Amino acid sequence: MVNLVLVLGDQLSDGLSALAEADSATDVVVMAEVASEASYVPHHPKKIAFTFTAMRKYAAHLQAQGWRVAYTRLDDADNAGSIPAELLRRAEEFGTDRVLVTEPGEWRLIAALRELPLHLTLLEDTRFICTHAEFDAWAKDRKSLRMEYFYREMRRKTGLLMEGDKPVGGKWNFDHDNRKPASGDLFRKAPPQARGDDVLDQVLDLVEARFPDNFGTLRPFQFQTDRAGALRALDHFIIHALPDFGTYQDAMLADDPYLYHAVIGLYLNAGLLDPLEVCDRAARAYADGDAPINSVEGFIRQIIGWREFIRGIYFREGPDYTSRNTLGHDRALPALYWGAETRMNCLHHAVGQTRDLAYAHHIQRLMVTGNFALLAGANPAHVHEWYLAVYADAYEWVEAPNVIGMSQFADGGVVGSKPYVSSGAYIDRMSDYCKGCHYRVKEKTGPRACPFNLLYWHFLIRHRARFSGNPRMAQMYRTFDRMDDARRETVLADADAFLQKLDAGETV
Ligand code: FAD
Ligand code: DLZ
Ligand code: SF4
């Protein structure tokens, strides 16, 4: 009997396990642009356009390789509207009940597929370095899961930056040499821009017509949409940005959205690039003397360390992970996240860039938008929905542990041992945002005090019982306790007043 081979929008890889298991002479690849995937959160129009264009081009690539592809476009009259419904339709059309699929990256879709009255073979996603079984074996019996130790295992497993069983350069981690602020006057070459073509143009028109109200700017569309383009983006990064990646990894500049970041997360997550090929390219740049160890090690750690660790957590923690709310935060996500005006220059830039590019780099996500949502006590489910919607690289397996865990501490410390909170001083040190801000980063109280300064203490005091015993946070509590009573009261009262304005929908 014919197999239907389901290929999802983030499974655009020739090495996909479902394709490897199938026979191109007899089986049928099923791909579908469906309303349910395109609207279960209000995705950024660029994310939808990237996905549909890359899917259409990948379908053509499979056909050129001899596969029979049953492809459904969003505007096809007989589109059944969801992945499960499309599978049922195709099963009837091809007279089969057999489906091969590589495990999807979201519990939601895994559950929906399992409920189908079809004979489903769910295959492991071999595009990752660490299997579920390996992650669970590593995690089992550990009191806490820390990325650094997991990362060392991945270095050993892959042999990346290893000399025998020792790390190259004598250290596993060179972060000590990183984290410098960047300067605005250096010329940095932006990643390669999309080359227009008929497929992309058609999809852009479709997305414009079907998703006119989604938050985000569709044109100009800058992303690559096929493997050749993704490889060009990787080349660009290795040559132009990798050498300084480590040093300026945490820096933020108002006029430079990318700095020395790779801007390849969306290509990796959609399957257009393979994590090991990317790391091999970086390791080769080090071996050839083209990039220093602090950058190459830092970059490889993000991919074989953080990316794999985060995925391990998502599948280990289970489907309820996205509804966790350990800190009991319940404030609605402030309207400024969806584009309402704000006087906070850092948020104005981080959100504005997100709206225009469907991209922000890690520190903007963690220490600006994430930090503010956490300090303000935003409901983590709302925060999760926002991140899943607005970034072109967002899929739940990678977004949720970063948001629910790393950024919002809503998982109670599974991903991180302490919450990532900071006052305005951190943002001032790592960016040029504060110079152009309505608020004053050095002011701790009063109407012009930086809101991060006010909310930082408010957060710590709200959660004193939980965090004051954490050795990594004790110093913060000592600092607060050393303030005189009047100052402590003013800080907290000013923070309350700020939160009231936020809740009232006033521009803050
Ligand atoms: P670079 O900074 O150049 O890093 C290179 C690569 O390392 C990335 O492409 C990515 O594949 C990997 N990487 C780096 N950090 C992480 C991490 N913490 N977790 C997983 N992979 C990592 N990443 C996503 O891919 N999808 C998301 O939806 C996502 N949501 C995030 C939400 C928050 C609140 C935070 C703090 C981080 C999130 N990240 C997410 C991780 C990281 O911010 C992005 O991977 C990165 O910004 C993508 O841009 P880049 O390709 O330029 O990355
Ligand atoms: C992100 C996305 C979007 C916007 N649309 C589709 C789609 O129409 N069809 C499809 O197969 N995949 C899409 N995707 C990617 C899926 O949402 C992704 O495969 C699941 O969330 C699992 O990670
Ligand atoms: Fe952001 Fe505060 Fe700096 Fe303004 S002063 S940019 S709100 S950190």
Side-chain angles (χ1 to χ4, degrees):
M1 199 185 264
V2 171
N3 287 302
L4 299 180
V5 188
L6 176 62
V7 175
L8 294 163
D10 56 353
Q11 298 185 334
L12 311 179
S13 317
D14 285 352
L16 195 72
S17 52
L19 289 170
E21 198 69 13
D23 182 347
S24 61
T26 50
D27 295 338
V28 180
V29 171
V30 173
M31 297 178 74
E33 300 165 11
V34 287
S36 64
E37 290 307 306
S39 56
Y40 70 97
V41 289
H43 298 289
H44 194 298
K46 278 192 161 91
K47 179 182 180 186
I48 304 175
F50 166 71
T51 307
F52 288 180
T53 310
M55 284 175 70
R56 289 183 186 192
K57 290 184 179 176
Y58 190 66
H61 163 80
L62 286 179
Q63 275 162 341
Q65 286 187 331
W67 287 95
R68 196 154 47 129
V69 182
Y71 192 96
T72 308
R73 293 180 175 211
L74 190 72
D75 47 2
D76 283 351
D78 48 1
N79 189 319
S82 73
I83 296 292
E86 273 293 300
L87 276 175
L88 287 174
R89 185 169 77 87
R90 294 300 189 184
E92 202 176 313
E93 180 183 343
F94 291 100
T96 183
D97 70 346
R98 298 175 63 87
V99 179
L100 296 173
V101 59
T102 296
E103 182 182 73
E106 300 196 2
W107 287 113
R108 170 187 63 85
L109 206 47
I110 296 175
L113 292 179
R114 282 200 171 126
E115 276 172 18
L116 280 171
L118 297 173
H119 184 273
L120 185 82
T121 307
L122 202 62
L123 298 153
E124 176 120 23
D125 194 339
T126 51
R127 299 173 301 166
F128 291 89
I129 295 153
C130 185
T131 65
H132 294 327
E134 282 170 335
F135 190 83
D136 289 344
W138 174 80
K140 190 167 146 286
D141 301 333
R142 279 173 200 263
K143 262 203 350 243
S144 62
L145 306 181
R146 291 297 159 248
M147 193 286 298
E148 186 61 33
Y149 299 108
F150 169 79
Y151 163 57
R152 293 179 192 179
E153 292 300 314
M154 293 300 103
R155 289 273 293 275
R156 291 190 185 98
K157 178 171 180 184
T158 58
L160 282 161
L161 300 181
M162 295 297 289
E163 274 163 353
D165 61 353
K166 298 267 182 310
V168 165
K171 279 197 296 187
W172 292 102
N173 182 318
F174 286 80
D175 250 0
H176 181 65
D177 304 336
N178 295 342
R179 314 214 156 118
K180 297 209 170 63
S183 113
D185 54 6
L186 285 179
F187 176 72
R188 279 174 288 270
K189 222 168 162 239
Q193 298 296 293
R195 296 174 183 168
D197 59 61
D198 290 347
V199 182
L200 176 60
D201 288 346
Q202 273 188 14
V203 170
L204 290 177
D205 288 345
L206 173 74
V207 172
E208 197 162 47
R210 289 289 293 267
F211 305 94
D213 300 325
N214 287 27
F215 172 73
T217 314
L218 179 62
R219 300 173 202 259
F221 182 87
Q222 81 276 18
F223 294 126
Q224 307 299 320
T225 49
D226 59 14
R227 178 155 164 82
L231 284 170
R232 277 199 300 280
L234 175 61
D235 276 349
H236 174 94
F237 167 67
I238 299 284
I239 297 165
H240 298 291
L242 177 63
D244 287 310
F245 173 84
T247 312
Y248 299 113
Q249 208 178 332
D250 290 3
M252 297 175 278
L253 287 178
D255 291 333
D256 188 343
Y258 304 116
L259 284 148
Y260 299 97
H261 290 274
V263 201
I264 58 164
L266 75 168
Y267 309 128
L268 279 166
N269 297 348
L272 298 178
L273 291 177
D274 175 76
L276 276 181
E277 85 180 327
V278 166
C279 292
D280 282 338
R281 285 290 311 275
R284 208 169 348 122
Y286 171 68
D288 293 347
D290 293 332
I293 188 70
N294 67 310
S295 285
V296 173
E297 184 282 314
F299 178 71
I300 287 177
R301 174 159 26 91
Q302 303 312 311
I303 294 185
I304 68 169
W306 277 113
R307 188 170 184 269
E308 296 285 328
F309 177 74
I310 284 290
R311 176 175 183 263
I313 299 274
Y314 179 76
F315 282 104
R316 185 178 156 78
E317 290 297 312
D320 80 315
Y321 188 75
T322 53
S323 55
R324 295 196 194 165
N325 188 359
T326 298
L327 300 180
H329 283 173
D330 59 5
R331 175 161 280 109
L333 190 68
L336 67 90
Y337 282 81
W338 297 108
E341 206 187 316
T342 174
R343 297 191 187 107
M344 291 180 275
N345 202 33
C346 51
L347 279 157
H348 168 76
H349 278 284
V351 174
Q353 171 188 325
T354 299
R355 180 198 57 224
D356 294 343
L357 301 173
Y359 176 83
H361 67 68
H362 187 71
I363 292 300
Q364 293 171 312
R365 297 188 204 196
L366 187 64
M367 300 311 290
V368 180
T369 44
N371 188 12
F372 185 76
L374 177 59
L375 293 178
N379 184 328
H382 297 194
V383 186
H384 157 62
E385 189 201 23
W386 185 78
Y387 278 97
L388 189 55
V390 300
Y391 292 112
D393 55 31
Y395 299 91
E396 197 174 278
W397 67 265
V398 55
E399 173 275 337
N402 271 301
V403 173
I404 296 288
M406 187 189 301
S407 166
Q408 299 301 298
F409 205 80
D411 66 1
V414 178
V415 171
S417 57
K418 78 178 206 19
Y420 278 95
V421 282
S422 80
S423 66
Y426 174 85
I427 295 174
D428 191 31
R429 190 163 65 248
M430 297 313 300
S431 79
D432 61 357
Y433 295 139
C434 300
K435 280 194 311 231
C437 189
H438 163 85
Y439 297 102
R440 297 189 182 125
V441 71
K442 301 268 189 277
E443 289 185 19
K444 313 284 188 226
T445 56
R448 285 295 186 100
C450 165
F452 284 82
N453 294 346
L454 301 173
L455 295 179
Y456 176 69
W457 294 120
H458 198 270
F459 172 89
L460 289 176
I461 297 314
R462 280 199 317 266
H463 298 297
R464 182 164 206 145
R466 179 179 297 277
F467 294 126
S468 60
N470 183 327
R472 296 178 64 204
M473 297 177 76
Q475 178 57 39
M476 304 172 189
Y477 285 97
R478 278 198 291 274
T479 306
F480 185 77
D481 291 341
R482 273 200 301 269
M483 291 181 197
D484 62 51
D485 288 352
R487 189 167 173 75
R488 282 205 295 256
E489 275 168 30
T490 311
V491 170
L492 297 179
D494 285 357
D496 276 327
F498 177 84
L499 289 172
Q500 272 170 23
K501 282 174 82 176
L502 201 63
D503 290 343
E506 289 177 38
T507 298
V508 290

